[in-house]
């Protein structure tokens, strides 16, 4: 069964001087301030499209990796995934780095790396961002 998720942005003013809010409508978990300076300079308590993409990518990747590991008979005890989305004004999103640390019993570092590469390739958010260079750092701990 397909699902659709919705977010709405209200924006006022020009790009450089304006600001807005983005609401996560489907989950209703919050409304967040956005502005050009928070996107191109310092966050200063506001979010950006790139931060929201990073959130989507890190959670999607974690789900994909967890599923792949469980399917292979080695479900993770824990995964910590960080996605760093780089935005260059005038160019756009220039790259994404996914860093994952996982605790998985009965798995070698090489097997973990392979599972992480598979998750990166098959995560729906990775597929949606296929036009962007996505790098991966995977570390098996404990």
């Amino acid at each position: 069964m397909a699902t659709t998720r919705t977010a709405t942005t209200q924006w006022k003013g020009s790009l450089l001087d304006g600001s807005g809010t983005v609401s996560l409508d489907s989950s209703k978990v919050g409304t967040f301030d956005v502005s050009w300076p928070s996107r191109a300079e310092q966050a200063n308590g506001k979010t950006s499209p790139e931060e929201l993409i990073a959130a989507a990518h890190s959670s999607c990747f974690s789900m994909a990796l967890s599923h792949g590991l469980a399917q292979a008979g080695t479900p993770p005890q824990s995964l910590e995934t960080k996605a760093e989305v780089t935005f260059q004004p005038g160019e756009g999103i220039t790259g994404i780095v996914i860093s994952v640390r996982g605790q998985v019993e009965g798995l070698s570092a090489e097997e973990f790396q392979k599972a992480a590469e598979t998750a990166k390739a098959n995560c729906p958010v990775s597929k949606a961002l296929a036009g962007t260079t996505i790098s991966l750092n995977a570390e098996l701990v404990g």
Side-chain angles (χ1 to χ4, degrees):
M1 178 163 107
T3 59
T4 301
R5 300 293 183 251
T6 306
T8 302
T9 298
Q10 299 290 329
W11 187 267
K12 294 183 180 176
S14 67
L15 173 62
L16 299 180
D17 298 325
S19 64
T21 58
V22 58
S23 63
L24 305 182
D25 300 338
S26 302
S27 64
K28 300 189 185 332
V29 296
T31 299
F32 305 93
D33 294 329
V34 294
S35 69
W36 177 255
S38 69
R39 185 177 194 187
E41 299 165 15
Q42 295 297 315
N44 294 322
K46 298 178 182 175
T47 194
S48 67
E50 291 73 28
E51 184 177 36
L52 296 170
I53 288 170
H57 207 174
S58 66
S59 59
C60 181
F61 174 87
S62 293
M63 290 179 196
L65 180 54
S66 175
H67 181 65
L69 290 167
Q71 292 283 34
T74 54
Q77 283 70 48
S78 67
L79 298 172
E80 178 180 292
T81 305
K82 179 179 186 178
E84 298 173 272
V85 177
T86 301
F87 173 73
Q88 178 64 46
E91 291 181 49
I93 295 173
T94 58
I96 299 171
V97 177
I98 297 173
S99 298
V100 61
R101 291 174 42 100
Q103 186 176 4
V104 187
E105 291 182 16
L107 202 66
S108 71
E110 294 79 22
E111 291 168 320
F112 184 70
Q113 180 69 38
K114 183 178 178 186
E117 291 287 349
T118 298
K120 181 186 90 150
N122 294 311
C123 153
V125 173
S126 289
K127 288 181 176 185
L129 299 170
T132 301
T133 301
I134 302 171
S135 304
L136 174 67
N137 301 314
E139 178 186 359
L140 187 62
V141 295

